[in-house]
Amino acid sequence: MTIGEQPAYLRVAGDLRQKIVDGSLPPHTRLPSQARIREEYGVSDTVALEARKVLMAEGLVEGRSGSGTYVREHLVPRRIVRSGYRPADSATPFRQEQADGEAHGTWESSSEQAEASDAVAERLALAPGDRVMRTHYVFREAGEAMMLSTSWEPLALTGRTPVMLPEEGPVGGMGVVERMAAIDVVVDNVTEEVGARPGLAEELLALGGVPGHVVLVVQRTYYASGRPVETADLVIPADRYQVAYHLPVK
């Protein structure tokens, strides 16, 4: 192979990808078998296998147990809006979106006390092992899981207060800013860091993805006078959703 020349498996994957894009291999069509790819392109079994792996990693095809590999339906990603705008009813961003009459969003949550891991302790400026309230969320659109979230709040701050459980009490479900205000903690800053990685098996199972699919991870932390008061990880399937930011101009 000369300098700049693509490896054979990438050339094969590129040709198959183009057939998927231009409709020669439409959604739900069975991808040519490994033997067929080997014969059609004059490559080895190893090259044919690696080409199929590339298309699977890109989310263009999916394996069906006992049946083969099929072209996936192309989905136009929907937006999940992250906004600095807070409406008068103090809804969280997800609840803002679901106020739209055309939206059909639901969510469920569960909370339990836990010990802060090293990573969570660092984000909340705690000592590892300090007690936190951990809350897991599954957000759905028309019944389909669209986002997972896990949040942590220091019990040294919220323990034995009306806001100890994020989704219960007089301001349950109203969002971090409003809940903290109820115990005289003024949230004045929030940071969000967005990254991407392969989804964990349990995440993809909950989100309806397949092994190898990429997820977007939004790492969010709320602060009050420089003190972290809540941190969370939001996990979003990258093939179905994109994150859009609407930020106010100060």
Side-chain angles (χ1 to χ4, degrees):
M1 183 175 67
T2 60
I3 295 177
E5 183 181 351
Q6 276 192 322
Y9 76 94
L10 288 181
R11 286 189 281 108
V12 174
D15 188 70
L16 291 171
R17 184 189 303 111
Q18 184 57 44
K19 290 180 178 179
I20 293 172
V21 171
D22 67 20
S24 300
L25 287 172
H28 310 297
T29 299
R30 192 172 188 272
L31 193 71
S33 67
Q34 189 169 314
R36 177 74 178 274
I37 292 174
R38 182 190 64 210
E39 294 172 3
E40 183 175 343
Y41 292 94
V43 296
S44 66
D45 281 330
T46 300
V47 169
L49 177 61
E50 290 301 314
R52 288 160 62 91
K53 286 182 178 179
V54 168
L55 298 177
M56 189 167 291
E58 292 176 350
L60 295 173
V61 301
E62 61 183 356
R64 299 180 186 174
S65 180
S67 180
T69 303
Y70 290 79
V71 177
R72 297 184 69 214
E73 185 174 356
H74 176 67
L75 300 175
V76 178
R78 276 208 62 201
R79 292 190 306 161
I80 292 179
V81 177
R82 310 295 299 160
S83 176
Y85 168 67
R86 306 293 294 182
D89 61 6
S90 299
T92 64
F94 184 78
R95 289 168 172 81
Q96 289 177 40
E97 285 194 308
Q98 301 313 316
D100 184 333
E102 297 182 358
H104 304 283
T106 59
W107 54 89
E108 59 253 21
S109 66
S110 62
S111 297
E112 68 278 331
Q113 296 188 30
E115 294 184 355
S117 66
D118 290 352
V120 169
E122 181 177 0
R123 287 162 59 175
L124 287 174
L126 303 174
D130 279 359
R131 303 294 292 175
V132 294
M133 183 62 70
R134 179 175 60 204
T135 303
H136 299 285
Y137 292 89
V138 179
F139 296 94
R140 302 182 187 278
E141 180 183 43
E144 179 183 82
M146 60 177 288
M147 180 169 65
L148 308 176
S149 175
T150 304
S151 69
W152 300 267
E153 296 178 351
L155 283 170
L157 177 66
T158 64
R160 299 185 179 181
T161 74
V163 303
M164 185 174 73
L165 293 170
E167 293 292 318
E168 297 182 18
V171 289
M174 293 302 291
V176 175
V177 176
E178 291 73 25
R179 290 177 49 251
M180 292 299 163
I183 56 172
D184 298 322
V185 175
V186 179
V187 174
D188 52 18
N189 191 28
V190 58
T191 64
E192 292 196 350
E193 300 179 8
V194 183
R197 59 167 170 77
L200 303 178
E202 57 269 26
E203 293 169 343
L204 295 175
L205 180 63
L207 291 169
V210 299
H213 277 192
V214 172
V215 294
L216 300 174
V217 180
V218 180
Q219 181 177 297
R220 179 195 70 205
T221 305
Y222 283 97
Y223 296 86
S225 300
R227 176 187 181 181
V229 298
E230 189 258 19
T231 194
D233 287 337
L234 286 64
V235 179
I236 303 161
D239 62 329
R240 286 184 278 141
Y241 294 91
Q242 56 186 205
V243 179
Y245 282 83
H246 292 178
L247 304 176
V249 176
K250 294 183 178 180

